[in-house]
Amino acid sequence: MNRDFFPADTRTDSAPHGAMFDYLLRLGDDSLILCQRLTEWCGHAPALEIDLSLANIGLDLIGQATLFLNFAGAIEDRGRDGDRLAFHRDASDFRNCLLVEQPNGDFAQTMARQFLFSTAQLGLFEQLMLSTEPRIAEIAAKGVKEVRYHADLAADWIVRLGDGTDESRNRMVVGLDWCWRFIDELFLVDDVEAGLIEQGIAVDRSALRGAFDARLSSVLADAGLPAPVYPRGVRGGRAGRHSEHLGHLLATMQHLPRSYPDAVW
Amino acid sequence: MQLSAEGAERILAALESVPDPEIPAISLMDLGVIRGIRREPPAVLITPTYSGCPATLVIERAVREAVDAAGYSDVPVETVLAPPWTTDWITERGREHLRDYGIAPPPKGSASMTLKAGAPVACPRCGSDETREVSRFGSTPCKAQWQCRACLEPFDHFKCH
């Protein structure tokens, strides 16, 4: 539980192309990596309806990722578009939070991760709609309705499994336990974001924790699940220090475009 | 460069008959994804239903072809995100066509997304309100899977969005 995946800081939070580029990578990579994880369920979910749900949530996420990463590429202005950023960066250049790269585990663990991420993302997007950067505001306004649906669907499953059989309850407890150590990072504010928060571009994530905790408590209570006991938090994703899992995920996701860079549909 | 009012009308008329690629029963105009014609600088404005809707590129191409065929190949097709698409933009005629096609349309004015406590969804086949949600997602991200308890038929419900 308290394993630390990472060596001592080897990278700094410095942003080579500016804080704005970095922030857009964080937003886009969260959606991109979680989408890739969800697609691993394609054809393997416990039921056809769940298969459809997970794939369709992934589709919404890939849409958000495309919008954020295309914008990041435009801000960077070095000829990289969303596809280039998705398929031709190494793990240490990804800026997603650690939660989204965690393995699917069983269905309970997948839904635990989904509920925690979507609930945090919902709070974030609701505020990002007010960003002084109009492009970010409109991407968030577009995505917020989708994310609300994801958060609600996942909450339903927390309750169904938590308040289900002994087996499903145990699995949900274990699934949530896997995730707790990655929650602090979702609300972390570092130097990259502090400046953007000043300008009204970024959202102060630390201010979103209260609403997140309240929603979490309410859903856990409905599910008859125990309140979280947070172990020491693990962090590093925003600075490119990732768990081993991300490398394996990228190996699958990037294999084709990296092996055949000129391949087209 | 400015597009004449007459030109804008002609383009809109040409777009009336372009079907949605996923749900051909409804036109892109009735679905509300064609946001209008900007006259200066000229552009046909379209918007995606969902951020990741895979039909977006096909829609763009279909619009492009229709605008070309109407003789306005110099008018670009532009994708806009704001304001975000909502099911409230589906026209009455579009709702009729969805229902005829076997898809329960979203209730008008419900785009604020009530998930569970919303109005009952009427079966598009027999009209009964005795229906239940089977799956939050259906064959596309914009639809959920429902079933009628009266006639037992499963059907797609266009989610409120």
Side-chain angles (χ1 to χ4, degrees), chain A residues 48-50 52-54 56-57 59-60 62-64 67 135 138-139 141-143 145-146 148-150 152-154 156, chain B residues 47-52 54 81-82 84-86 111-113 115-116 133-141 144 159 161:
Chain A
L48 183 58
E49 289 77 8
I50 297 166
L52 284 172
S53 295
L54 297 176
N56 275 311
I57 291 173
L59 201 54
D60 289 339
I62 198 79
Q64 296 160 11
L67 293 169
R135 185 65 183 164
E138 65 183 23
I139 295 172
K142 182 79 198 153
K145 299 198 283 183
E146 299 157 0
R148 192 170 292 134
Y149 205 78
H150 306 166
D152 210 78
L153 178 141
D156 259 9
Chain B
T47 196
T49 52
Y50 282 70
S51 301
L81 286 187
W85 180 83
T86 150
S112 51
M113 284 262 306
L115 281 177
K116 287 167 210 162
E133 182 187 78
V134 178
S135 171
R136 280 293 176 84
F137 285 96
S139 53
T140 63
K159 287 162 21 185
H161 188 74

Side-chain angles (χ1 to χ4, degrees), chain A residues 13-252:
Chain A
D13 280 345
S14 72
H17 306 291
M20 182 73 161
F21 177 72
D22 225 53
Y23 190 56
L24 290 167
L25 290 185
R26 293 173 182 198
L27 296 171
D29 288 347
D30 277 357
S31 295
L32 175 68
I33 299 304
L34 185 54
C35 166
Q36 178 67 19
R37 275 289 179 235
L38 290 175
T39 61
E40 291 171 13
W41 276 106
C42 223
H44 299 278
L48 183 58
E49 289 77 8
I50 297 166
D51 215 294
L52 284 172
S53 295
L54 297 176
N56 275 311
I57 291 173
L59 201 54
D60 289 339
L61 291 171
I62 198 79
Q64 296 160 11
T66 306
L67 293 169
F68 281 129
L69 294 181
N70 276 337
F71 186 38
I75 292 284
E76 185 194 39
D77 198 20
R78 283 174 54 186
R80 295 201 285 183
D81 64 1
D83 278 347
R84 186 79 205 172
L85 287 168
F87 294 122
H88 294 271
R89 273 182 300 153
D90 291 332
S92 59
D93 294 323
F94 274 77
R95 292 291 179 268
N96 56 280
C97 61
L98 298 173
L99 178 65
V100 294
E101 71 197 40
Q102 295 310 305
N104 285 336
D106 60 10
F107 179 63
Q109 187 175 317
T110 292
M111 290 323 283
R113 184 187 62 200
Q114 193 65 45
F115 169 68
L116 295 167
F117 177 76
S118 294
T119 302
Q121 194 190 27
L122 178 59
L124 180 69
F125 275 27
E126 282 173 346
Q127 296 298 311
L128 272 184
M129 288 166 64
L130 309 172
S131 171
T132 51
E133 167 46 58
R135 185 65 183 164
I136 291 182
E138 65 183 23
I139 295 172
K142 182 79 198 153
V144 73
K145 299 198 283 183
E146 299 157 0
V147 175
R148 192 170 292 134
Y149 205 78
H150 306 166
D152 210 78
L153 178 141
D156 259 9
W157 278 105
I158 303 291
V159 174
R160 281 173 79 172
L161 297 178
D163 193 24
T165 64
D166 287 347
E167 175 74 13
S168 72
R169 183 180 194 280
N170 285 341
R171 283 176 181 244
M172 185 46 82
V173 167
V174 171
L176 286 164
D177 275 350
W178 177 280
C179 297
W180 295 136
R181 62 200 140 144
F182 304 111
I183 299 307
D184 284 348
E185 190 189 39
L186 302 178
F187 301 96
L188 198 67
V189 176
D190 62 5
D191 290 345
V192 170
E193 297 196 9
L196 295 173
I197 293 168
E198 250 339 273
Q199 301 168 61
I201 294 172
V203 170
D204 180 357
R205 295 178 195 263
S206 65
L208 305 173
R209 185 68 188 255
F212 174 89
D213 285 340
R215 175 70 180 145
L216 178 59
S217 300
S218 140
V219 171
L220 291 178
D222 280 353
L225 290 166
V229 179
Y230 290 104
R232 181 170 54 82
V234 193
R235 60 181 62 168
R238 301 298 186 203
R241 297 188 305 277
H242 292 280
S243 62
E244 180 187 347
H245 307 297
L246 182 65
H248 293 281
L249 179 150
L250 293 180
T252 303

Side-chain angles (χ1 to χ4, degrees), chain B residues 7-97:
Chain B
E9 284 303 318
R10 279 213 194 123
I11 292 175
L12 281 176
L15 290 172
E16 282 287 349
S17 57
V18 182
D20 177 74
E22 287 275 356
I23 313 167
I26 188 170
S27 74
L28 292 176
M29 291 288 285
D30 283 337
L31 187 58
V33 301
I34 293 170
R35 298 313 301 143
I37 312 290
R38 192 179 60 212
R39 289 174 56 199
E40 192 174 8
V44 178
L45 304 177
I46 62 174
T47 196
T49 52
Y50 282 70
S51 301
C53 178
T56 306
L57 285 178
V58 185
I59 288 174
E60 198 179 313
R61 201 177 307 158
V63 170
R64 178 73 269 162
E65 281 172 11
V67 176
D68 283 352
Y72 293 91
S73 52
D74 52 340
V75 176
V77 177
E78 220 174 87
T79 299
V80 293
L81 286 187
W85 180 83
T86 150
T87 42
D88 283 350
W89 293 348
I90 302 178
T91 62
E92 270 315 312
R93 186 176 59 180
R95 284 161 207 271
E96 285 299 320
H97 288 170

Side-chain angles (χ1 to χ4, degrees), chain B residues 129-158:
Chain B
D129 281 345
E130 293 295 312
T131 56
R132 69 182 186 102
E133 182 187 78
V134 178
S135 171
R136 280 293 176 84
F137 285 96
S139 53
T140 63
C142 54
K143 287 177 283 175
Q145 189 70 44
W146 281 61
Q147 189 184 17
C148 178
R149 291 183 200 273
C151 72
L152 302 182
E153 285 290 329
F155 63 90
D156 270 341
H157 170 45
F158 215 109

